[in-house]
Amino acid sequence: MNKAPIKSDLVYAARYGDKAAMNELISAFAPTVESIATGYVGRCPMTRSDLIQEGMIGLLGAVYGFDTNAEARFETFASVCISNRIKSAVHAQLRKKHIPLNGYVDIDEVDISDCLSDPQTIMDMRERFEELNESIEKKLTPLEKDVLRLHIGGHNYSSIAEVLSISVKSVDNALQRARKKLKEK
C-alpha cells in the first residue's frame, strides 16, 4: 500500500476541510479501495463502481472516525473501515428484504475495468468525493454533520446518542434528514 506511514496531522487536516490533505489521502488509498472492491466483483450483485464508491465512503468514515491520538496506524484503521463498509454494502444487497430494491438497473453501465489506473478516473473520483464533502458542509446542520460522521465512523445509534448527549430518536431523525438533504440536487 503506502511506503511512508500516513501522519495523523494529514488525517486531522483532511477531517477539518483541507482539500490538499484529502486529495493526498484519496490518492494514497485509491489502490487499496480498488483492491478490496475487486475481491467482491462477480461474487455479489453490486457493480465494481458501486463497490469502489462504498470503499471511498469507508475511507471518508476512516478520516472522520480515526483517533489521531491513538497508537494505531491510520493505514490499518482505514483498511478496516474500507473493508467493513464494502462488506456491509454487499450484505445489505444480499438481504432478502431488499430484493425489490436490489433489482435495479445500472443507469450508467460504463466499463471501468481499469478504473484506478487511469489518472482521469482518479481525478473524477476526487471531484465526486469533494462534491460529497462540500454537500455535507453546505447542506447539513452541525448536529446532522456530527451524527453522520459518527455513523459513517461505525458508531451505532446508541453510542452516537451517548457521545452527543441526545436521544436515540434524535440520532435517527438527524440521519434521516441528512440522507434526504444529501439526495437532493
Side-chain angles (χ1 to χ4, degrees):
M1 181 173 55
N2 301 330
K3 292 182 176 121
I6 300 291
K7 295 187 170 141
S8 60
D9 294 347
L10 182 67
V11 177
Y12 184 83
R15 180 182 299 163
Y16 291 100
D18 185 335
K19 289 182 181 181
M22 187 63 81
N23 285 339
E24 190 174 333
L25 288 173
I26 292 169
S27 293
F29 284 94
T32 302
V33 170
E34 180 186 19
S35 174
I36 294 170
T38 300
Y40 288 91
V41 173
R43 296 179 10 199
C44 71
M46 296 178 73
T47 64
R48 181 184 172 111
S49 61
D50 288 340
L51 291 165
I52 289 172
Q53 183 177 3
E54 289 295 333
M56 286 300 186
I57 292 170
L59 175 59
L60 179 64
V63 169
Y64 289 112
F66 183 66
D67 180 0
T68 54
N69 296 321
E71 293 191 25
R73 291 179 47 172
F74 179 73
E75 293 88 338
T76 305
F77 183 73
S79 294
V80 169
C81 288
I82 292 165
S83 181
N84 286 347
R85 180 66 188 211
I86 291 173
K87 284 179 192 174
S88 293
V90 168
H91 288 183
Q93 284 286 320
L94 295 174
R95 281 190 215 121
K96 290 185 179 183
K97 72 178 191 176
H98 294 299
I99 288 173
L101 298 175
N102 295 342
Y104 70 92
V105 175
D106 191 10
I107 295 173
D108 52 9
E109 297 175 317
V110 177
D111 180 21
I112 58 165
S113 55
D114 294 332
C115 177
L116 295 176
S117 60
D118 175 29
Q120 181 61 45
T121 304
I122 293 173
M123 292 304 296
D124 291 343
M125 287 175 59
R126 278 189 190 146
E127 288 175 11
R128 283 186 274 169
F129 197 74
E130 287 176 10
E131 287 171 8
L132 176 61
N133 224 2
E134 287 175 18
S135 286
I136 289 171
E137 290 302 319
K138 288 180 184 174
K139 294 180 178 180
L140 303 185
T141 65
L143 174 64
E144 292 165 348
K145 284 186 231 177
D146 290 343
V147 169
L148 181 62
R149 287 178 177 145
L150 288 167
H151 183 64
I152 289 173
H155 292 271
N156 62 28
Y157 283 33
S158 299
S159 66
I160 295 170
E162 186 177 322
V163 168
L164 298 177
S165 301
I166 58 176
S167 71
V168 173
K169 183 63 179 165
S170 296
V171 170
D172 182 52
N173 289 342
L175 276 175
Q176 296 305 322
R177 286 191 310 272
R179 285 182 182 130
K180 183 176 179 182
K181 288 178 182 180
L182 293 175
K183 284 182 182 179
E184 295 172 352
K185 284 287 177 172

